[in-house]
Amino acid sequence: MTTETSQTATDLFERMRATNPLVQCITNYVAMNYAANVLLAAGASPAMVHTPEESGEFAAIAGALTVNIGTLSPNWVEGMIAAAKAANRAGKPWVLDPVAHFATGYRRDAVAELLKLKPTVIRGNASEIIALGGGQSAGQGVDSGDPVEQAEEAARGLAIAQGAIVAVTGEVDFVTDGKRSVRIAGGSDLMPKVTATGCSLTALVGAYLAIAPDQAFEATVAALGNFAVAGEIAANTANGPASFMTAFIDGLHRLDGATYAKNLRINVL
Amino acid sequence: MTTETSQTATDLFERMRATNPLVQCITNYVAMNYAANVLLAAGASPAMVHTPEESGEFAAIAGALTVNIGTLSPNWVEGMIAAAKAANRAGKPWVLDPVAHFATGYRRDAVAELLKLKPTVIRGNASEIIALGGGQSAGQGVDSGDPVEQAEEAARGLAIAQGAIVAVTGEVDFVTDGKRSVRIAGGSDLMPKVTATGCSLTALVGAYLAIAPDQAFEATVAALGNFAVAGEIAANTANGPASFMTAFIDGLHRLDGATYAKNLRINVL
Amino acid sequence: MTTETSQTATDLFERMRATNPLVQCITNYVAMNYAANVLLAAGASPAMVHTPEESGEFAAIAGALTVNIGTLSPNWVEGMIAAAKAANRAGKPWVLDPVAHFATGYRRDAVAELLKLKPTVIRGNASEIIALGGGQSAGQGVDSGDPVEQAEEAARGLAIAQGAIVAVTGEVDFVTDGKRSVRIAGGSDLMPKVTATGCSLTALVGAYLAIAPDQAFEATVAALGNFAVAGEIAANTANGPASFMTAFIDGLHRLDGATYAKNLRINVL
């Protein structure tokens, strides 16, 4: 089963790179440049289109939509909602990244609105997923204060309640649709030291959803595998967060299917 | 003629670096950091001032203005219009970068308004220039789907219709004022893999216009030459898009007139 | 006295890294990514929360607030004011970075409003501090046109008038509370060639204030020392602004107390 899952992930990896999918990213100001460079390096075509005057129109053109609430304001929330609605109407998959949604009332309300629009995938760190599931998280601002394992139950519950794929990322990632669950090892402890790493991964999940909208679970696993493999390789030559970032982007660009398959460490539960 | 054009470009390159011109950049969220670092490395002084409450006042102070519609919203469009009007009143040159203007109605309308304000230079990729000329482009989101050569006729027509310099950038760049035309070779195929490369070039065109407002054609050629030379050199040591970016910015900073002149590959048509 | 000041700075350096303080940064679009990466590398936890709907609520949670006016607009000014008021109510320290405040009327008015809210620390370049003190600066856009020494008198006057710590940064930094004054040597002449270097330092001052709110003068000195030491070391291996940036972030991440103490060059006046 693990071998089959790995093979599917590798197939999706190769298909994504060959297809250069157009991904609409409504993400935060901190992440925009890095997320765009991650998508370009990984083989996708990012487009940052956020304002309600055009976000819905563009969502119908793009292969997938990703929504990240990192640096909210009213015009952006309106644009996110318009885009998510349009994605739903056009049958396009979309990803929600509920950054630090527990930190303020404004964030909680925005996420509640967005959850009603049924994201295909929800990706967050452990603190965010625990809090979304109604639990008490140890998160401080945007950084997680909880290990991924403690979020696995909350993730399963959330996946069932929302009818969504839920991905919890951290030292070992966890993906579930409520029934099936997978853990993905890899990456580097330098990744949380690079801002917008999670936000960029959300954008990459969009790239995989765009080429496999009917395999949202498998696409999410393949995207997380892509990050984990490239991150683990990049860490070998890094002297700190910035040289890691350089090696990571370069590595995403150079990664091929054989290296992906060889380094992927998936554990089907 | 080519030699004379190259000599003029080299003179402008040296003058720009010696003058440290102040350039107002109204650009997109993705590009802001990279464009500012490109200008600083190349020898200019960038200032990102966008809101209508001050964009016009600042346009009268700056040596040139650049306007890029990558991540539009109403307040920004208003600020762009105010700045372009003020630049015109103050006799300052300005550049328009019509990012993916064909993608949505909102973008098309914004660009139509901005074109009425008579940009000194219009810089875009082939798909953008073809679509501006009324043709059918193969563009997907912000990335070009057409080769530069196919945009040359559209560029000439647009230059005449607008009374502007038109620059189409890609594998080989093309600059025209409708009568004179120049091709510029160089750069690297890693450049389109770095987000905001075109946006940063737009900002650099502003730096050259600021020091040679009465030689807009020559200034545009010199700016594109600067990018092409620095890009080609940077590619020699790059392992991927991120190490390219580092080498490119470092190289812009270190480039001198002799190296510029030696590596410039201009072809006057 | 200098030795005592250096020892205090080293203690604060070690405490900051051990504490991982949460810092709310309301900064400009150009700086957001770099400032966040600087804070993460240095050992703090950045959170970019700006909109008035939540900026005040978050300011009560964060350890300190930093406000930078680089890319203003009305919603942001409102968010800055709400956050500064909330920080004051909650007894949290906050830093003001008055980027190019002399350039437009809109900026002057925004800074006048913010100064009424009594920032704990004001950090700027020489031109900004001279102009805040009512003098005639040679600043052009966001870059300083004056040496730090010429701003020392203005800084002392401003510190007394505002009841604030004033930090003037440049080739040699200067910190004063109106009575005590310190100069800090170090850094690199590549630092002004990297955009948002000053903005990132402002954010780092916030990290130190968060862990030593009752020692604002000492905290500011320690933060500037952190930048100066890491910058000087990074310059040894840099080939230009971008490789400097990489070495600087990596170096901030790896810096330890012994290296900090050994390389700190503080001069108590």
Side-chain angles (χ1 to χ4, degrees):
Chain A
M1 175 95 164
T2 295
T3 314
E4 193 189 316
T5 304
S6 294
Q7 184 56 53
T8 303
T10 305
D11 291 349
L12 291 171
F13 167 82
E14 293 189 321
R15 183 136 56 96
M16 197 278 286
R17 290 178 79 88
T19 314
N20 187 226
L22 178 63
V23 185
Q24 179 179 6
C25 304
I26 307 186
T27 189
N28 62 74
Y29 301 121
V30 185
M32 282 205 198
N33 184 275
Y34 190 49
N37 276 327
V38 161
L39 286 204
L40 285 170
S45 180
M48 274 61 186
V49 178
H50 71 282
T51 200
E53 286 80 4
E54 62 172 356
S55 66
E57 185 178 349
F58 200 85
I61 301 168
L65 165 72
T66 72
V67 171
N68 171 299
I69 68 160
T71 54
L72 281 183
S73 60
N75 182 59
W76 284 72
V77 175
E78 213 186 304
M80 290 168 184
I81 290 171
K85 284 182 176 169
N88 285 343
R89 274 194 305 272
K92 303 291 178 77
W94 75 280
V95 190
L96 175 63
D97 186 341
V99 182
H101 64 92
F102 46 77
T104 67
Y106 185 59
R107 251 152 230 267
R108 275 190 296 275
D109 292 349
V111 164
E113 283 304 306
L114 290 164
L115 284 175
K116 285 184 202 156
L117 301 175
K118 297 286 170 196
T120 316
V121 178
I122 301 166
R123 192 216 63 82
N125 63 35
S127 295
E128 288 156 358
I129 299 301
I130 290 170
L132 269 193
Q136 193 65 32
S137 85
Q140 166 189 273
V142 301
D143 297 321
S144 183
D146 303 282
V148 169
E149 307 90 76
Q150 285 188 18
E152 292 189 358
E153 264 321 292
R156 278 198 195 88
L158 183 64
I160 292 166
Q162 278 283 320
I165 312 300
V166 175
V168 193
T169 58
E171 211 179 314
V172 173
D173 299 334
F174 178 77
V175 182
T176 184
D177 64 0
K179 288 171 289 182
R180 291 175 295 174
S181 298
V182 167
R183 289 203 192 102
I184 302 149
S188 155
D189 54 11
L190 285 170
M191 288 176 114
K193 292 292 171 192
V194 176
T195 195
T197 292
C199 313
S200 300
L201 176 47
T202 293
L204 190 64
V205 171
Y208 278 85
L209 286 178
I211 60 114
D214 299 329
Q215 292 173 282
F217 180 79
E218 291 82 357
T220 304
V221 170
L224 269 55
N226 197 344
F227 239 57
V229 167
E232 193 166 66
I233 294 172
N236 291 332
T237 57
N239 292 314
S243 55
F244 173 82
M245 222 186 312
T246 301
F248 180 59
I249 296 270
D250 280 4
L252 280 172
H253 178 68
R254 287 200 313 262
L255 193 60
D256 58 31
T259 311
Y260 180 93
K262 192 181 140 195
N263 289 277
L264 190 63
R265 287 190 283 139
I266 285 183
N267 182 12
V268 179
L269 301 180
Chain B
M1 176 97 163
T2 295
T3 315
E4 194 190 313
T5 304
S6 294
Q7 184 56 52
T8 303
T10 305
D11 291 348
L12 291 171
F13 167 82
E14 293 188 321
R15 183 135 57 94
M16 196 279 286
R17 289 177 81 87
T19 313
N20 188 226
L22 178 63
V23 186
Q24 180 179 5
C25 304
I26 307 187
T27 190
N28 62 74
Y29 301 121
V30 184
M32 282 204 198
N33 184 275
Y34 190 49
N37 277 327
V38 162
L39 286 203
L40 285 170
S45 180
M48 275 61 186
V49 177
H50 72 281
T51 200
E53 286 80 5
E54 63 172 357
S55 66
E57 184 178 350
F58 200 85
I61 301 168
L65 165 71
T66 72
V67 171
N68 172 299
I69 67 160
T71 54
L72 282 183
S73 59
N75 182 58
W76 284 73
V77 175
E78 214 187 303
M80 290 169 184
I81 289 171
K85 284 183 176 169
N88 285 342
R89 275 194 304 271
K92 304 290 179 76
W94 74 280
V95 190
L96 175 64
D97 186 340
V99 182
H101 64 91
F102 47 77
T104 67
Y106 186 59
R107 251 152 229 266
R108 275 190 296 275
D109 292 349
V111 164
E113 283 303 306
L114 290 164
L115 284 175
K116 286 184 200 155
L117 301 175
K118 295 286 170 196
T120 316
V121 177
I122 301 166
R123 191 216 64 81
N125 64 34
S127 295
E128 287 156 358
I129 300 300
I130 290 170
L132 269 193
Q136 193 64 34
S137 86
Q140 167 189 272
V142 302
D143 296 320
S144 182
D146 302 281
V148 169
E149 307 90 75
Q150 285 187 19
E152 292 189 357
E153 264 320 292
R156 278 199 194 88
L158 183 63
I160 292 167
Q162 277 282 320
I165 313 299
V166 175
V168 193
T169 59
E171 210 180 314
V172 172
D173 301 334
F174 177 75
V175 182
T176 184
D177 64 1
K179 287 171 289 184
R180 291 175 294 174
S181 297
V182 167
R183 289 203 192 101
I184 302 149
S188 154
D189 55 11
L190 285 170
M191 288 176 115
K193 291 291 170 194
V194 176
T195 195
T197 292
C199 313
S200 300
L201 177 47
T202 293
L204 191 64
V205 171
Y208 279 84
L209 287 178
I211 59 115
D214 299 329
Q215 292 173 283
F217 180 78
E218 291 81 357
T220 304
V221 170
L224 270 53
N226 196 344
F227 239 57
V229 166
E232 194 166 65
I233 295 172
N236 291 332
T237 56
N239 291 316
S243 54
F244 173 81
M245 223 186 313
T246 301
F248 181 58
I249 296 269
D250 281 4
L252 281 172
H253 178 67
R254 287 200 314 263
L255 193 60
D256 58 30
T259 311
Y260 180 94
K262 193 181 140 195
N263 289 277
L264 189 64
R265 288 191 283 139
I266 284 183
N267 182 13
V268 178
L269 302 180
Chain C
M1 177 94 165
T2 295
T3 315
E4 194 189 314
T5 304
S6 295
Q7 184 56 51
T8 304
T10 305
D11 291 348
L12 291 171
F13 167 82
E14 293 188 323
R15 183 134 57 95
M16 196 280 285
R17 290 178 79 88
T19 314
N20 187 227
L22 178 62
V23 186
Q24 179 179 6
C25 303
I26 307 187
T27 189
N28 62 75
Y29 301 121
V30 185
M32 284 205 197
N33 184 274
Y34 190 49
N37 276 327
V38 161
L39 286 204
L40 284 169
S45 180
M48 275 60 186
V49 178
H50 71 282
T51 201
E53 285 80 4
E54 63 173 355
S55 66
E57 184 177 350
F58 200 84
I61 302 167
L65 165 71
T66 73
V67 171
N68 171 300
I69 67 160
T71 54
L72 282 183
S73 60
N75 183 58
W76 284 72
V77 175
E78 213 186 305
M80 290 170 185
I81 289 171
K85 284 182 176 170
N88 285 342
R89 274 195 304 272
K92 303 291 178 78
W94 74 281
V95 190
L96 175 63
D97 185 341
V99 182
H101 64 91
F102 47 77
T104 67
Y106 185 60
R107 252 153 229 266
R108 275 190 296 275
D109 292 349
V111 164
E113 282 304 305
L114 290 164
L115 283 175
K116 286 185 201 154
L117 301 175
K118 296 286 171 195
T120 316
V121 177
I122 301 166
R123 192 216 63 83
N125 65 35
S127 296
E128 286 156 359
I129 299 301
I130 290 171
L132 268 193
Q136 192 64 34
S137 85
Q140 166 189 274
V142 301
D143 296 321
S144 182
D146 303 280
V148 169
E149 307 90 76
Q150 284 188 20
E152 293 189 357
E153 265 320 293
R156 279 199 193 87
L158 183 63
I160 292 167
Q162 279 282 320
I165 312 299
V166 175
V168 193
T169 58
E171 212 180 313
V172 173
D173 300 334
F174 177 76
V175 181
T176 184
D177 64 0
K179 287 172 289 183
R180 291 174 294 173
S181 298
V182 167
R183 290 204 191 100
I184 301 148
S188 154
D189 55 11
L190 285 170
M191 287 175 116
K193 293 291 170 193
V194 176
T195 196
T197 292
C199 314
S200 301
L201 176 48
T202 293
L204 190 63
V205 171
Y208 279 84
L209 286 178
I211 58 114
D214 299 329
Q215 292 173 282
F217 180 78
E218 291 81 357
T220 304
V221 170
L224 269 53
N226 196 344
F227 239 57
V229 167
E232 194 166 66
I233 294 172
N236 291 332
T237 57
N239 291 314
S243 54
F244 173 81
M245 222 187 314
T246 301
F248 181 59
I249 296 271
D250 281 2
L252 281 171
H253 178 68
R254 288 200 312 263
L255 193 60
D256 58 30
T259 311
Y260 180 92
K262 192 181 140 195
N263 289 277
L264 189 63
R265 288 190 282 138
I266 284 182
N267 182 13
V268 178
L269 302 181

